Amino acid sequence: MLQLLENAQKFGNGTAIISNSKSYRYSELLDVSHRVAATLMNNKGDLNETRVAFMVNPGFDYVATQWGIWQAGGIAVPICISYPAESIEHVLDDANCSVVVTAGEYFDILKPLVNQRELRIIKTNEFYADKDGLPEIEIDRRAMILYTSGTTGKPKGVVTTHQNIESQIKTLVRAWNWSSDDHILNVLPLHHVHGIINVVSCALWSGATCQFINGFKAEKVFEIFLKGNINVFMAVPTIYYKLIAYWEQLGLDEQKELTNRLTQFRLMISGSAALPVSVMDKWKTISNQTLLERYGMTEIGMAISNPYDGERRPGHIGQPLPGVQVRLVDDSGNRVPNGESGEIQVKGSNVFLEYWKRPEATKESFTTDGWFKTGDVARMDNGSYKILGRTSVDIIKSGGYKLSALEIEEVLRTHPSIKDCGVVGIPHEEWGELVCAGLVASGKIDMDELSEWIKLKLPSYKTPREYKVLDDLPRNVMGKVTKKELQQLFIEAS
Ligand code: MLC
Ligand code: AMP
């Protein structure tokens, strides 16, 4: 049996999940997930790595579905709940999903897509099957596919095995001192590792309680904090920025009450994007908490972290986590001396298996001796890694989401009034980077129409926030678009 589930058996009566104002025990979670597995298996005995997509709000049903898929021997493919139909279709087709699990609210958007493909669709209130014998799941089997943007076109499926996931969880549980006394609030989307692994899986591995709200709202988060049970919180820098902005406009008494409560937390972590030192400092004055910044990626889980005990250095990501090997190399693949910049490369059982159905892309993302090339550039600075940037200008991080400029450009070029375009990210205090698009028109561009049109093609978090219509895109002598110059055009205008 998978260790996550074995642990859950031990914690039987403890509260595993709080969602939609209801508390669920570990025993209930196991029981419902067992029914999910039985319904999915449909007397087949083992799903044998069938891809099961699920579009379910963060909460009890999400976790019961994910655990059910795993127990039935399937591969869990979470779909972002704010995806428009085109993005959902990409996941269903690329992963070749056979079954889709959903809650009532997403049924209407999924139904036509499922019908066209003749897939099986199950609502989360239809897990009727009686518990059945479960297959034995070997730890090296594929467990999950997460879609992530890269330097090429559409998002790629990152495949992790049960072993990868266990290794990612075990490392964090140890490094950050998780225990069954912990109680965490999840505000993150559950189609990325930050929410799935660091928050939900680490909590449930440890016998802790994981509370959910669907989507982030500063007011709601503080309201829950004030109730007094939450003691661990993890978020992207944009969320801390928004919490600070909300706190600043409260009255003095409310501010004081919140500060008293936040001071009692055991741990607060920031990650998924660079934590500005100004946000770290401000949060410290509000909460008396020194945010622990760590570094990770969909393909590797978490790799580098500031210490739980010891100095958490502002503007730095810390040291390699136990069991994770990290090196910095130059363009020729040679290790760089301390103090010099190089690409972060990672090795260990935390590292993913493959990009789904993309052997070439998988091969290219590893060195011949098995190091995963992250594309992030860092230097070692007095015993702590410091991120300096990325090897590609076409990767943008906005609100903690990784976006591909090329994917957004490909979509924009299909608009009838757009002849060419270039997408860049520019530094932004709140969002980390803001997505901007330079457009060359082939007709008159109606900006309102374009903003509405693109929302049908891409999830909102991938859509450009600023547009500029240009006679031509800035180019070098070879005719290649110079993204740095394009960035500069937007920076100067901001
Ligand atoms: C939304 N808005 C944006 C935006 N996203 N504006 C600029 N840039 C963006 N990226 C605008 C909307 O248009 C809207 O505007 C307003 O903000 C509120 O929209 P929303 O969709 O309600 O946003 P909100 O819920 O507030 O989202 C903010 C957020 C979200 C920070 C909560 O972005 C988020 O959940 N980020 C976390 C992503 C994550 O989990 N990444 C981890 C990846 S794993 P208007 O005008 O309509 O009000 C990984 C590995 C690792 O990275 O290391 O962890
Ligand atoms: P994703 O592919 O969505 O998992 O995003 C992973 C990327 O997020 C990494 O490759 C980094 O570029 C970025 N990232 C994660 N944590 C940090 C951090 N603490 N500081 C800077 N960048 C980070």
Side-chain angles (χ1 to χ4, degrees):
M1 187 190 255
L2 297 170
Q3 199 178 332
L4 183 65
L5 302 158
E6 219 170 283
N7 289 1
Q9 280 186 339
K10 272 193 329 232
F11 301 122
N13 275 334
T15 304
I17 287 175
I18 302 177
S19 64
N20 295 324
S21 316
K22 273 171 72 187
S23 293
Y24 301 87
R25 293 177 195 283
Y26 276 89
S27 52
E28 287 174 83
L29 179 57
L30 281 171
D31 194 48
V32 176
S33 68
H34 203 153
R35 284 178 197 282
V36 174
T39 309
L40 289 171
M41 286 192 300
N42 219 5
N43 301 319
K44 274 204 213 92
D46 188 333
L47 289 187
N48 287 318
E49 299 194 350
T50 295
R51 272 76 58 211
V52 181
F54 61 119
M55 192 167 178
V56 178
N57 285 338
F60 179 78
D61 286 344
Y62 177 100
V63 182
T65 304
Q66 184 192 49
W67 286 19
I69 297 167
W70 286 343
Q71 287 176 94
I75 302 181
V77 188
I79 295 185
C80 168
I81 54 174
S82 61
Y83 267 6
E86 285 198 21
S87 305
I88 300 173
E89 287 185 293
H90 171 64
V91 173
L92 294 181
D93 294 340
D94 189 81
N96 205 358
C97 298
S98 317
V99 187
V100 179
V101 176
T102 189
E105 54 269 47
Y106 306 112
F107 194 73
D108 287 347
I109 186 168
L110 285 167
K111 189 76 185 144
L113 312 181
V114 160
N115 284 349
Q116 279 160 23
R117 292 165 178 76
E118 298 182 5
L119 309 179
R120 183 173 170 214
I121 186 163
I122 310 171
K123 286 193 195 159
T124 47
N125 60 3
E126 291 173 350
F127 289 120
Y128 48 82
D130 276 344
K131 290 203 257 176
D132 203 354
L134 295 170
E136 191 52 45
I137 309 298
E138 297 84 30
I139 193 158
D140 57 354
R141 278 218 214 172
R142 292 171 182 82
M144 187 157 69
I145 303 181
L146 298 181
Y147 276 80
T148 188
S149 296
T151 45
T152 49
K154 291 200 169 178
K156 294 194 288 275
V158 174
V159 181
T160 41
T161 61
H162 289 287
Q163 188 154 37
N164 298 143
I165 292 173
E166 280 198 6
S167 161
Q168 293 174 6
I169 300 171
K170 273 185 185 160
T171 298
L172 296 185
V173 166
R174 201 146 47 101
W176 297 341
N177 274 10
W178 274 98
S179 83
S180 56
D181 294 334
D182 286 324
H183 187 152
I184 193 166
L185 177 68
N186 179 71
V187 298
L188 294 169
L190 291 186
H191 62 295
H192 283 305
V193 290
H194 196 162
I196 301 173
I197 302 292
N198 299 20
V199 178
V200 179
S201 303
C202 283
L204 298 178
W205 179 281
S206 312
T209 300
C210 187
Q211 187 164 343
F212 291 89
I213 47 172
N214 189 9
F216 168 77
K217 288 273 170 297
E219 186 182 5
K220 188 78 193 152
V221 169
F222 280 145
E223 189 189 307
I224 293 174
F225 283 175
L226 280 177
K227 292 201 174 122
N229 297 319
I230 312 281
N231 69 338
V232 181
F233 188 62
M234 299 184 191
V236 300
T238 303
I239 288 181
Y240 287 106
Y241 181 97
K242 285 172 178 284
L243 289 172
I244 292 167
Y246 186 83
W247 185 90
E248 282 178 335
Q249 49 84 51
L250 293 173
L252 277 181
D253 287 349
E254 285 171 298
Q255 287 185 341
K256 221 166 125 191
E257 193 189 4
L258 268 170
T259 298
N260 284 340
R261 181 70 257 285
L262 295 172
T263 305
Q264 296 159 19
F265 274 56
R266 178 179 76 76
L267 178 63
M268 288 189 171
I269 297 187
S270 172
S272 301
L275 174 65
V277 175
S278 58
V279 172
M280 185 168 175
D281 287 347
K282 192 84 207 178
W283 190 253
K284 171 97 184 165
T285 62
I286 287 178
S287 65
N288 289 315
Q289 297 283 339
T290 305
L291 287 174
L292 185 159
E293 182 172 9
R294 84 326 175 259
Y295 160 88
M297 195 173 181
T298 307
E299 286 87 337
I300 58 174
M302 300 302 112
I304 303 175
S305 170
N306 272 284
Y308 182 76
D309 294 309
E311 191 200 2
R312 299 176 188 172
R313 261 173 86 190
H316 292 71
I317 52 171
Q319 296 79 33
L321 283 156
V324 182
Q325 295 178 65
V326 174
R327 68 178 194 181
L328 297 183
V329 300
D330 62 19
D331 292 343
S332 321
N334 298 315
R335 281 179 191 252
V336 299
N338 276 350
E340 282 184 24
S341 70
E343 183 189 24
I344 303 177
Q345 298 191 344
V346 177
K347 219 185 220 187
S349 52
N350 55 305
V351 177
F352 77 127
L353 179 70
E354 62 192 355
Y355 291 115
W356 180 250
K357 285 191 320 204
R358 287 179 169 85
E360 274 310 304
T362 307
K363 200 168 155 213
E364 278 166 23
S365 70
F366 286 89
T367 63
T368 46
D369 52 350
W371 291 84
F372 174 68
K373 303 189 261 182
T374 63
D376 291 306
V377 177
R379 83 177 138 81
M380 175 49 95
D381 179 22
N382 273 332
S384 191
Y385 284 97
K386 181 170 182 60
I387 297 271
L388 302 173
R390 284 184 287 269
T391 52
S392 167
V393 283
D394 289 319
I395 296 292
I396 301 170
K397 264 267 156 167
S398 189
Y401 282 112
K402 183 173 171 184
L403 316 175
S404 157
L406 304 181
E407 181 191 358
I408 303 167
E409 288 165 9
E410 270 178 26
V411 170
L412 283 170
R413 281 195 203 97
T414 63
H415 188 279
S417 307
I418 296 173
K419 192 161 80 183
D420 201 0
C421 64
V423 168
V424 288
I426 62 165
H428 192 274
E429 223 190 332
E430 180 173 3
W431 296 100
E433 287 180 282
L434 198 70
V435 183
C436 302
L439 307 176
V440 180
S442 60
K444 185 168 162 26
I445 304 177
D446 175 343
M447 285 303 172
D448 291 337
E449 183 273 332
L450 178 61
S451 297
E452 288 311 308
W453 175 86
I454 198 145
K455 281 190 206 146
L456 300 174
K457 307 274 168 189
L458 290 170
S460 162
Y461 62 81
K462 291 188 182 176
T463 59
R465 302 289 152 172
E466 283 181 25
Y467 292 100
K468 242 181 214 315
V469 181
L470 305 164
D471 293 335
D472 195 6
L473 298 165
R475 293 177 191 278
N476 63 17
V477 282
M478 312 292 287
K480 193 170 176 305
V481 174
T482 45
K483 291 270 173 112
K484 293 261 180 254
E485 266 183 85
L486 186 58
Q487 265 171 338
Q488 212 44 46
L489 286 180
F490 283 99
I491 291 171
E492 278 160 18
S494 64

